[in-house]
């Protein structure tokens, strides 16, 4: 009588087979079993099964599976990636405790500048050709140099500061555009630059515009390419404004504006009109007029970036 297992688990013992294999599954069947489960069983489970496969069977199985494969090649590169869209930085003048010029009927320049810049942002983004950022999108004070720093942090391709100043002569009206220079092009522009550069007084003693001496040094650091870009943008704005918006006589001017001091970002300051003139103020209060101004600006920006050298500067 056969002896049972000491633990009494006789029912778990395999039933002896009479096929002459001694109760062992043939090596071929075992290999088929392992191969067939390879796509279903977890790696750890296959490792346990493989541990019971005789060494000579594993060697035979791997030898049979050594089929030559075609060499791998890197995928072909078709075409070129589209260059990034240029980023246009819009700078609504003044803000917060700095109201800017106050119009005859009490309109604040800071509100007109923000409304016009927001409309320009809307039109530029709608074109799908540009990325747009604003130095401020609400009513808050930002130091002049802080505005330039924001443009640099965004790696802007173009900087446009938008204003609607005031003059002592209320009869003067019309738009104009300004670029950076150590010396003003005329007395009126020199006065505007002094007014704009004094905006930092609202920031307290720790925030102030640079002295004229430092400004002259900074102006000398602006690269020739940047100067050319700014002049080209100013010319484009004048051309786009002329058939739609009244302009000052000799509308392209220059002076030592702190906000235009970037050495490598072409920068312009646009005076959309003068709050000291009742006709300019009335026009700038109207959304329809600001849409016309923004539309002309979009046309000028398109012309600017259409120039090959400008595109290279903006994306390279």
């Amino acid at each position: 009588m056969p002896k049972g297992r000491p633990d009494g688990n006789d029912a778990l013992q395999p039933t002896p087979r009479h096929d002459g294999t001694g109760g062992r599954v043939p090596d071929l069947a075992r290999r088929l079993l392992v191969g067939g489960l390879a796509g279903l069983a977890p790696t750890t489970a296959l490792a346990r099964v493989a541990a019971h496969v005789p060494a000579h069977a594993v060697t035979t199985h791997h030898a049979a599976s050594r089929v030559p494969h075609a060499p791998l090649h890197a995928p072909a590169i078709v075409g070129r990636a589209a260059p990034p869209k240029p980023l246009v930085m819009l700078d609504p003048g003044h803000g917060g405790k700095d109201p800017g010029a106050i119009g005859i009927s009490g309109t604040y320049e800071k509100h007109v500048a923000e409304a016009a810049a927001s409309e320009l942002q809307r039109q530029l983004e709608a074109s799908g050709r540009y990325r747009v950022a604003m130095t401020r999108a609400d009513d808050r004070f930002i130091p002049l140099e802080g505005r330039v720093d924001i443009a640099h942090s965004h790696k802007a391709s173009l900087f446009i500061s938008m204003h609607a100043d005031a003059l002592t002569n209320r009869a003067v009206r019309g738009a104009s555009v300004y670029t950076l220079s150590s010396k003003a092009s005329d007395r009126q522009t020199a006065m505007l630059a002094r007014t704009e550069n004094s905006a930092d007084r609202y920031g307290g003693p720790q925030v102030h515009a640079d002295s004229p001496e430092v400004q002259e040094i900074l102006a000398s650091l602006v690269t020739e390419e940047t100067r050319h870009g700014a002049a080209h943008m100013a010319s484009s704005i004048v051309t786009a404004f002329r058939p739609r918006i009244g302009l000052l006589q000799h509308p392209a001017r220059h002076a030592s504006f702190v906000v235009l001091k970037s050495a490598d970002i072409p920068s312009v300051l646009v005076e959309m009109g003068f709050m000291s003139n009742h006709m300019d103020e009335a026009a700038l209060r109207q959304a329809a007029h600001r849409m016309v101004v923004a539309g002309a600006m979009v046309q000028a920006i398109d012309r600017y970036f259409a120039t090959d050298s400008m595109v290279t500067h903006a994306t390279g």
Side-chain angles (χ1 to χ4, degrees), residues 109-287:
E109 179 187 1
K110 66 177 182 178
H111 296 319
V112 168
E114 183 182 343
S118 296
E119 174 60 24
L120 178 53
Q121 178 185 31
R122 184 189 70 78
Q123 292 192 28
L124 286 171
E125 290 178 340
S127 75
R129 294 185 291 273
Y130 309 100
R131 294 173 295 142
V132 185
M134 302 258 282
T135 56
R136 68 176 183 91
D138 52 17
D139 188 15
R140 60 193 174 106
F141 174 80
I142 302 175
L144 297 176
E145 290 193 9
R147 297 167 187 264
V148 180
D149 292 340
I150 292 172
H152 280 281
S153 67
H154 281 77
K155 298 182 179 179
S157 305
L158 180 65
F159 180 90
I160 302 175
S161 193
M162 303 185 71
H163 294 259
D165 265 299
L167 297 172
T168 54
N169 184 352
R170 295 188 175 187
V172 177
R173 64 172 306 206
S176 50
V177 58
Y178 302 83
T179 54
L180 180 68
S181 174
S182 59
K183 295 182 179 180
S185 55
D186 55 88
R187 292 180 60 186
Q188 180 177 293
T189 302
M191 183 181 69
L192 281 176
R194 284 195 298 270
T195 300
E196 288 300 329
N197 292 346
S198 68
D200 277 347
R201 69 184 183 278
Y202 290 97
Q206 73 280 7
V207 178
H208 56 83
D210 295 308
S211 67
E213 293 78 14
V214 173
Q215 277 300 299
E216 187 169 355
I217 294 173
L218 290 172
S220 69
L221 296 177
V222 176
T223 67
E224 189 60 32
E225 182 182 16
T226 302
R227 289 181 186 277
H228 176 74
H232 177 53
M233 184 61 203
S235 175
S236 296
I237 293 173
V238 170
T239 301
F241 274 8
R242 195 176 297 281
R244 315 182 199 184
I245 302 163
L247 291 167
L248 288 180
Q249 189 176 13
H250 307 300
R253 306 184 180 198
H254 52 264
S256 184
F257 291 93
V258 173
V259 78
L260 302 181
K261 75 171 192 175
S262 173
D264 52 7
I265 302 175
S267 304
V268 296
L269 186 150
V270 178
E271 290 284 358
M272 299 175 287
F274 292 99
M275 303 299 287
S276 49
N277 179 275
H278 72 281
M279 296 181 69
D280 274 358
E281 181 197 21
L284 290 168
R285 287 170 59 93
Q286 302 299 316

Side-chain angles (χ1 to χ4, degrees), residues 4-79:
R5 291 181 55 176
D7 56 6
N9 289 329
D10 299 323
L12 299 179
Q13 296 186 38
T15 302
R17 293 179 56 178
H18 302 286
D19 56 1
T21 63
R24 292 174 297 175
V25 179
D27 291 340
L28 177 59
R30 184 185 298 276
R31 293 199 300 274
L32 291 174
L33 176 63
V34 173
L37 294 176
L40 302 175
T43 305
T44 53
L46 289 177
R48 289 196 296 270
V49 173
H52 297 285
V53 179
H56 69 86
V58 174
T59 303
T60 304
H61 172 70
H62 283 288
S65 65
R66 294 193 186 111
V67 180
H69 296 284
L72 297 176
H73 297 285
I77 298 176
V78 180

